[in-house]
Amino acid sequence: MKISFIGAGNAAWQLSRSFENAGETVMEVFSRHATHARDLVKYLYNAHIQEHLDFSESSSSVFFLCIPESAYAQVLPELILPKDATLILVTAHFSLNEAADLYDPVRENNNPIGIFYPVQYLQKGVNTSFDQCMICIEGDSPTTELLLSAFGKKLSKIVYAVSEEERKKIHLASLFAGDFTRLLWNQAEGLLKEIELESHLIQPLIRNHLAHLQQNFPYLNRAEREFLSHPRYVRELKDELDSNEYKELFEQFVKMIKKGE
């Protein structure tokens, strides 16, 4: 199937190459940053750079919108697709109905619209496997969902049709498990650097926690619970933090851990 990409960032970089490896043909890549489109096209077989949002003459039948959600209000009203082509939004949070209103407020076009959400951290320049990645789909009709499911199964064994509310819950869960955890890792790294130690020294600890997590072991052992129940020790640790925000966060974590006992 011939497909095109609007956007040339992290999601487009990963999905375009993965779909080509799965047998699809990427025809065009559009980006408001021409250098980004040029960089991506170099990694694709036959794709060329599209310089505007009028795709009415394109031979593609599916278009993946891989841009920040903050740009939807600007891009969707300008977008012109071939008749009956499917528009697929790569988004975790945006409403399907809201996107349809932006793209075609008076419902003059016959373009099906769907959402394709790979629950994965995507970064261009780094090869990412989708094989074990959950892919969430939502379509404006059963036919659209069948198409989305077919695309999902080209990349992953785990494809779920979800509602908007379910998708937002999954997105929130991914933030806690991924982005927020990375933020805490950065803080841990900073604390070690303050005493001139390398962050790799606690990576065995992280690997062990992940192994225990996968086996559903309790996240705190008895000694750790007793330690966090001692006010003086907790206060001394909190005082090691320079940022008031992290001090407050530390207090909240301790409270939640004690509450979860």
Side-chain angles (χ1 to χ4, degrees):
M1 188 176 292
K2 295 178 180 179
I3 62 178
S4 292
F5 281 81
I6 300 142
N10 297 327
W13 201 92
Q14 294 290 347
L15 291 174
S16 61
R17 297 169 74 246
S18 295
F19 280 130
E20 278 207 337
N21 290 336
E24 309 297 343
T25 302
V26 179
M27 301 302 296
E28 300 115 351
V29 174
F30 167 84
S31 175
R32 293 197 186 278
H33 304 283
T35 54
H36 295 179
R38 194 176 304 117
D39 289 343
L40 176 54
V41 164
K42 287 190 298 186
Y43 289 94
L44 302 172
Y45 294 110
N46 297 308
H48 68 268
I49 298 171
Q50 173 83 2
E51 296 181 349
H52 47 74
L53 286 167
D54 184 352
F55 287 88
S56 56
E57 301 300 320
S58 173
S59 60
S60 290
S61 57
V62 176
F63 293 79
F64 285 86
L65 186 70
C66 302
I67 62 174
E69 294 173 352
S70 58
Y72 278 20
Q74 181 181 6
V75 171
L76 283 171
E78 297 180 26
L79 183 61
I80 303 173
L81 300 182
K83 183 180 179 181
D84 298 326
T86 300
L87 175 61
I88 297 179
L89 316 175
V90 180
T91 176
H93 203 77
F94 210 80
S95 162
L96 187 61
N97 289 333
E98 189 177 351
D101 288 340
L102 287 170
Y103 171 65
D104 185 19
V106 294
R107 300 295 192 269
E108 289 182 336
N109 300 317
N110 295 315
N111 298 111
I113 300 180
I115 286 175
F116 191 89
Y117 169 38
V119 187
Q120 181 60 280
Y121 177 71
L122 302 177
Q123 183 69 41
K124 61 182 178 181
V126 179
N127 290 327
T128 299
S129 172
F130 291 96
D131 186 48
Q132 299 297 323
C133 166
M134 175 169 61
I135 294 178
C136 300
I137 60 170
E138 181 186 355
D140 61 358
S141 71
T143 302
T144 305
E145 287 200 348
L146 282 174
L147 177 67
L148 290 164
S149 178
F151 272 106
K153 289 175 181 177
K154 285 182 176 290
L155 303 185
S156 174
K157 301 172 183 176
I158 310 167
V159 180
Y160 288 122
V162 299
S163 67
E164 179 181 336
E165 182 180 355
E166 290 168 336
R167 176 165 46 87
K168 289 180 178 179
K169 282 281 177 64
I170 293 168
H171 182 211
L172 183 59
S174 74
L175 287 173
F176 274 102
D179 298 70
F180 294 171
T181 301
R182 287 173 65 90
L183 182 67
L184 294 176
W185 163 251
N186 288 340
Q187 176 65 16
E189 188 177 49
L191 289 168
L192 292 179
K193 285 183 177 179
E194 288 178 9
I195 53 174
E196 299 182 353
L197 289 179
E198 297 295 328
S199 59
H200 69 82
L201 294 171
I202 61 169
Q203 287 180 1
L205 170 69
I206 295 171
R207 287 194 292 269
N208 199 29
H209 269 296
L210 286 173
H212 285 188
L213 176 66
Q214 291 168 349
Q215 297 177 53
N216 292 319
F217 285 177
Y219 59 85
L220 280 182
N221 59 34
R222 181 177 177 181
E224 288 168 328
R225 285 194 181 94
E226 290 180 355
F227 180 85
L228 291 175
S229 297
H230 198 296
R232 194 192 86 192
Y233 296 154
V234 170
R235 185 173 61 252
E236 288 175 352
L237 285 176
K238 188 181 75 171
D239 289 343
E240 292 292 328
L241 296 167
D242 295 328
S243 163
N244 288 332
E245 289 85 356
Y246 274 104
K247 287 182 178 182
E248 292 175 9
L249 188 60
F250 179 81
E251 284 185 338
Q252 290 301 317
F253 275 142
V254 171
K255 287 179 182 177
M256 286 188 288
I257 287 170
K258 291 171 70 175
K259 187 177 180 181
E261 291 178 2

